Amino acid sequence: MKLYTALGSIAAISQVLVAAQDTPPPLVQYTPELSDWSAFYSKAVDNNPKNTDHSPDGIGWIDRDDWIPWDGTVIDPTEHTRQELSQKICPGSTVLGLREVFYENNPFADITNPTKAEVDLWHTIALNHVRALVGYTEEEYIIRPNRCLHLRALWCDEKFRTRKWDTTEYPERCESSNNPHCGAGFIPSVEDQQPYLPEDITSCPKRSGSEGLFSAAKSNIPWSMKWARPFCATLGGEGFWGGHTGPWFHRSEFGWGWWDGDADNFNVNAGLRTKWSGSSGEVKYEDPDITNGVNKVLVEGVNPDPRFTGKECETRIWLNGGADTATKCYSRMMDDDRCGKRFMTRNSLNDGCACYPTNMSFCSAEIQPGRLTWDFEPIQSSFDGLLVDTTKAFSNNQLPYNGRRCPNILWKGKSGDVSHCLQIIMLGEGDKDVSDCGRNFITYNSANGGCGCYPESQQTCTRSESIGESGRQTYELEVDPTWNPPADPSPPPSEVPSQERSQTPSTGPSYGPSHGPSRAPSDADDMNCIENNNSKFFARTRGDEKKYKCKQLRKKNDKKKQKMCEMTEIASDGTKPAKDVCPVTCDICNCGEIANAKFYFKTNPGGIQQKNKTCGWLEKYFERKPEKAQEICNMETPDFDIIKPLASEACRITCDTCLV
C-alpha cells in the first residue's frame, strides 16, 4: 500500500500508516472493539439499495464525473472567500482529488465490509490529503491516530448518551443537560478502563486537547465519504480559521467516535465526536478578515464568529458588568451556572454580555441593533430530507433569487438566517404553525429576518411570475441526496397521541399530553381527548382512497363532516377513519382539546401587541416548569379585550379544567 505522494516521505509516517519495507506490518485498529458500528454497515450498504459498497464508486448518489482530480496546485486560503474555499476543496458532494487518493491506496481489502482498522487508516490518509491541498505536507502537519483518544471519544459518548457511568464514583450527570459537551473530560478509573484496552496499553491518562461535535454526517453514507460531510460543513460554515476547523488542519493527533442515534431511523444523522491533541502546526496563512478580535471567540474548538448579526434570542440573561471582548463573554457564560452553553449574545455597542437559560435549545431570533449572537452547536443544513444550497450564486433571472420572491408567500415569523428559516419551516420550531407550508421554496428576508414558505400548490417560481422585493432571498428546496424515504410513508396513527416526531416527512409538529388525562378515542360518553391539526385520517371519496387532515375536516360543512365522521373503514396502509383520528372535530369527546389551538399568553410592553401560544407548547412547558405552566392555566381574564381565549378555556385537558 502506498501513501499519497503529496505527503512526501513514507518513512516520516511509517509508524502510523505504512512501513518503509516492501511488506507493510499488520494494520493497527484504533477504534475500540466495543464501539458499535453495526448500523453504519447496514444503513450505508447492506440494506441500502442506493450504494453498492463503501468505496467512492460505490456511492449511488455521486456520479463518476462529479469527482474532480487534483492537479497538485496548492490552494491558498487567503486568496479565496469562505464560500470559494469551501467550493474549491469540497466541490459538490465530494472532496477534491479524494477518489484518486482512495484508489491509489486501496485501504479496504473488502470494499463491502471494511474493518475498523482499515477505516481508521483511511481516515488518517484522508485527513493528511486535505492538509496537502493547502500545502501542509511537512512533518509538523502530519496527523496520526491515537488509541487513547479514540477510547476517550467512546467513553465521552457513553457518558453523555447513556447512563452506564452514572454511579457514585462518577457524580457528573448529563441526562438532563443541554450542554452537548457534558462529559467531555470524562475518563474512567484505571480499573474500569480495562475491558476497553488493547493488550499493549495499561491505561489512558488525561491529556490536553480539544473536542469537536459534528452532526452533518449520516449513518447511511459509506465510509469513504462519511467523514467528509462534517469536515466540509465546518469548512463552509466557519472558514479556514474557524475554531472547529482549526484542528482538522493543525493538530498532530486525533481520535474519533461515531454514534448512531436511532437504530430504527434509516435517515438519522451520525454523531461524530472528535478528540484532538498533540502539538499544533504553525498556521501558515494569516486570516485576512481578522481584526483586534473584539467580536471573535478566540477559543480552540469553538466557532469564533457569531451566527446571527444584529439579532438576539428571546429570554436573554444579561450578565452584570458585561465583557469587553467576545472571548471574555464566552468565559463568563461558561462559568455561570445560570447559563446554558449553546447560545451567547454580545452587545457590540456597550460591551453587554448575555447568555440564555440552561433548557433553551431553540433561538427565537429578534432584531436588535448591535447584537451579535453565537450558536455553539454545528449548523445543520438538512432537515426532514430537504436542504438549501447556500453555495449557489444569487441571480435576478433564476433561483436562487436575491431581491425577489414567489407569489402566495406565507410568512412564519422571524429567523436568524436561511438555515434557521429552513429549520422553522420543516420542523415547526418555535411553535410555528407550518401545516400549510409546501416543500418547494422558502424565502428569507435579509432585512428583518422574516421567514416565509409557500403552499404546496406553488409548484413553480419563474422569473416572470416572481415579485421583486428588496432583501428577499428565495431558494428552491433540494432533496438531500443521502435521504432514504421510509418504506411505509403513511404509518397508521397511534391510538394515543405521541410526543415523538414522526420519522416520515412532515410539515408540522405533533404533540400529546403527558401530565393530564389521555385516552384513546372510544364510544365512552365521558372520554377526554386531544387532537392535532395535522393528523391524517382515511376517507373513501367516490370510490377513491383519500387522506385528509383534521383541520381540513373542521372546515367542511356540517353534512360532509358528519358523513366523514360516521365512516369506519380503515385504509389499506392502516390509516384510521376520522372518528379515531379527529375525535374532537367529530364531537365524540366529552372534553376535547386541539393541540395546535392558540391561547392568550401575554401583551408585549406598551400594551399594543398580544402574544399567543399553542396548547402543544403549554404541554411541553409543563414538563420543564410545571409551576410556571400552572400559573398560565390559572390566569384570570385581563381588564382589556383579548383576541384568543385563556389557556384554561383553549387547553382544557392540558390545564385539567374539563370539569370546571
Side-chain angles (χ1 to χ4, degrees):
M1 180 179 297
K2 69 174 183 175
L3 182 64
Y4 192 45
T5 55
L7 297 183
S9 170
I10 291 178
I13 53 172
S14 60
Q15 65 192 80
V16 177
L17 303 177
V18 293
Q21 303 93 333
D22 294 334
T23 303
L27 286 175
V28 176
Q29 179 176 314
Y30 294 88
T31 295
E33 194 62 41
L34 292 178
S35 294
D36 184 4
W37 280 11
S38 56
F40 302 128
Y41 293 95
S42 63
K43 293 181 181 181
V45 172
D46 298 348
N47 298 318
N48 191 332
K50 286 190 174 184
N51 306 317
T52 58
D53 55 64
H54 289 274
S55 71
D57 289 350
I59 303 174
W61 42 272
I62 301 180
D63 294 334
R64 174 74 174 271
D65 293 339
D66 292 339
W67 296 98
I68 301 176
W70 181 43
D71 61 6
T73 302
V74 171
I75 301 171
D76 184 344
T78 65
E79 297 177 354
H80 306 279
T81 65
R82 179 188 305 181
Q83 179 177 325
E84 290 170 348
L85 181 67
S86 176
Q87 290 175 330
K88 204 163 187 65
I89 293 180
C90 300
S93 298
T94 69
V95 173
L96 181 66
L98 192 71
R99 183 181 179 277
E100 284 73 21
V101 175
F102 183 90
Y103 289 109
E104 285 181 16
N105 288 277
N106 286 316
F108 303 160
D110 180 356
I111 56 177
T112 63
N113 187 33
T115 66
K116 286 180 176 177
E118 291 171 339
V119 174
D120 293 338
L121 170 64
W122 170 239
H123 287 157
T124 309
I125 294 172
L127 280 172
N128 282 294
H129 169 66
V130 297
R131 294 182 175 202
L133 292 177
V134 297
Y136 282 0
T137 57
E138 296 87 349
E139 168 63 21
E140 64 178 302
Y141 297 106
I142 302 301
I143 190 168
R144 300 167 170 82
N146 179 282
R147 281 186 286 184
C148 279
L149 291 179
H150 279 77
L151 282 163
R152 286 191 60 187
L154 173 61
W155 289 329
C156 291
D157 269 331
E158 289 181 341
K159 180 63 177 175
F160 181 75
R161 300 174 183 273
T162 76
R163 309 282 64 83
K164 176 176 182 178
W165 300 105
D166 289 358
T167 64
T168 54
E169 185 175 357
Y170 309 110
E172 182 183 19
R173 297 292 182 266
C174 296
E175 184 173 14
S176 58
S177 173
N178 78 324
N179 177 11
H181 289 282
C182 179
F186 172 72
I187 296 182
S189 66
V190 173
E191 180 181 358
D192 288 341
Q193 289 182 23
Q194 297 310 306
Y196 294 82
L197 301 176
E199 293 182 358
D200 56 338
I201 295 180
T202 57
S203 66
C204 288
K206 284 192 174 184
R207 56 185 302 189
S208 61
S210 62
E211 176 182 81
L213 299 176
F214 306 91
S215 58
K218 292 283 186 78
S219 292
N220 58 24
I221 298 177
W223 281 119
S224 61
M225 278 297 291
K226 194 189 300 290
W227 68 274
R229 267 220 171 176
F231 166 73
C232 292
T234 305
L235 181 64
E238 299 184 10
F240 182 79
W241 296 273
H244 290 103
T245 314
W248 291 84
F249 286 99
H250 299 100
R251 283 287 191 172
S252 59
E253 294 180 90
F254 78 99
W256 288 357
W258 295 92
W259 193 278
D260 179 83
D262 186 348
D264 298 324
N265 185 349
F266 197 79
N267 298 293
V268 70
N269 287 58
L272 170 61
R273 185 182 297 266
T274 60
K275 294 288 188 179
W276 311 99
S277 191
S279 60
S280 292
E282 180 183 358
V283 180
K284 288 185 177 182
Y285 306 99
E286 183 178 355
D287 185 352
D289 295 327
I290 198 162
T291 57
N292 54 13
V294 168
N295 290 319
K296 288 181 177 288
V297 178
L298 303 179
V299 177
E300 186 181 76
V302 174
N303 187 354
D305 300 312
R307 178 177 179 184
F308 306 139
T309 300
K311 301 181 180 74
E312 66 182 18
C313 311
E314 289 185 348
T315 65
R316 65 185 181 278
I317 303 171
W318 290 110
L319 304 180
N320 292 335
D324 59 6
T325 69
T327 303
K328 291 180 181 178
C329 185
Y330 177 82
S331 297
R332 293 200 61 189
M333 176 196 71
M334 296 300 292
D335 293 337
D336 197 316
D337 292 336
R338 297 173 300 163
C339 298
K341 310 308 177 189
R342 175 167 182 178
F343 300 102
M344 179 191 88
T345 292
R346 182 172 187 274
N347 187 344
S348 60
L349 302 179
N350 63 10
D351 290 342
C353 175
C355 64
Y356 294 88
T358 57
N359 58 7
M360 181 171 150
S361 59
F362 176 81
C363 173
S364 183
E366 299 178 338
I367 292 180
Q368 290 291 345
R371 306 301 201 268
L372 302 170
T373 297
W374 281 257
D375 180 353
F376 294 113
E377 283 197 6
I379 300 173
Q380 280 188 253
S381 59
S382 172
F383 298 93
D384 206 10
L386 294 177
L387 55 81
V388 170
D389 187 356
T390 57
T391 66
K392 288 185 177 179
F394 284 118
S395 169
N396 286 324
N397 298 314
Q398 61 184 12
L399 291 163
Y401 297 127
N402 188 16
R404 307 196 70 81
R405 67 168 175 84
C406 313
N408 305 312
I409 193 167
L410 303 169
W411 292 108
K412 296 299 179 181
K414 300 298 178 62
S415 59
D417 55 26
V418 66
S419 179
H420 196 219
C421 179
L422 179 65
Q423 180 181 1
I424 291 171
I425 298 302
M426 291 294 101
L427 306 183
E429 297 283 28
D431 297 316
K432 300 293 192 299
D433 181 6
V434 295
S435 57
D436 51 354
C437 290
R439 298 167 62 86
N440 298 313
F441 312 99
I442 65 169
T443 291
Y444 171 69
N445 188 344
S446 60
N448 63 12
C451 175
C453 66
Y454 298 86
E456 189 63 39
S457 58
Q458 190 66 46
Q459 295 292 314
T460 60
C461 188
T462 61
R463 174 67 168 76
S464 60
E465 64 184 317
S466 64
I467 301 165
E469 290 183 354
S470 177
R472 278 32 172 200
Q473 298 176 351
T474 300
Y475 297 81
E476 183 174 14
L477 301 185
E478 300 180 16
V479 176
D480 185 335
T482 69
W483 174 261
N484 284 269
D488 182 2
S490 301
S494 62
E495 289 289 338
V496 181
S498 169
Q499 287 181 305
E500 296 296 326
R501 186 176 303 281
S502 170
Q503 295 171 8
T504 58
S506 170
T507 57
S510 176
Y511 308 113
S514 61
H515 63 277
S518 175
R519 290 188 283 166
S522 71
D523 294 328
D525 292 335
D526 63 345
M527 184 181 64
N528 298 335
C529 41
I530 285 182
E531 174 183 311
N532 190 282
N533 277 342
N534 300 313
S535 296
K536 291 185 177 181
F537 65 91
F538 167 72
R540 186 176 293 280
T541 306
R542 295 190 180 93
D544 297 328
E545 286 197 358
K546 292 187 176 181
K547 298 181 181 68
Y548 301 89
K549 296 179 180 180
C550 292
K551 69 175 184 178
Q552 294 174 297
L553 177 63
R554 207 173 300 127
K555 294 178 181 178
K556 295 187 179 296
N557 61 45
D558 291 343
K559 184 176 180 180
K560 288 184 178 180
K561 186 189 302 180
Q562 180 180 355
K563 182 178 179 181
M564 287 186 169
C565 287
E566 290 175 350
M567 293 181 178
T568 59
E569 187 178 359
I570 298 176
S572 58
D573 64 2
T575 303
K576 296 188 176 182
K579 70 180 185 67
D580 293 330
V581 181
C582 316
V584 178
T585 301
C586 287
D587 198 23
I588 62 173
C589 303
N590 181 52
C591 181
E593 174 183 311
I594 305 296
N596 312 78
K598 294 184 177 181
F599 64 87
Y600 169 76
F601 178 59
K602 67 179 181 180
T603 300
N604 287 348
I608 298 176
Q609 184 178 4
Q610 295 182 14
K611 191 166 185 178
N612 306 312
K613 293 287 188 179
T614 65
C615 295
W617 173 88
L618 181 60
E619 189 277 326
K620 291 194 291 184
Y621 196 51
F622 258 105
E623 297 178 0
R624 296 188 283 114
K625 296 185 178 181
E627 294 181 358
K628 292 286 186 182
Q630 191 59 51
E631 290 179 6
I632 296 174
C633 288
N634 296 340
M635 185 185 300
E636 297 184 356
T637 304
D639 56 1
F640 52 85
D641 292 336
I642 57 177
I643 300 174
K644 297 294 183 181
L646 296 175
S648 58
E649 301 169 15
C651 316
R652 297 169 65 195
I653 292 180
T654 300
C655 286
D656 198 15
T657 55
C658 285
L659 301 179
V660 177

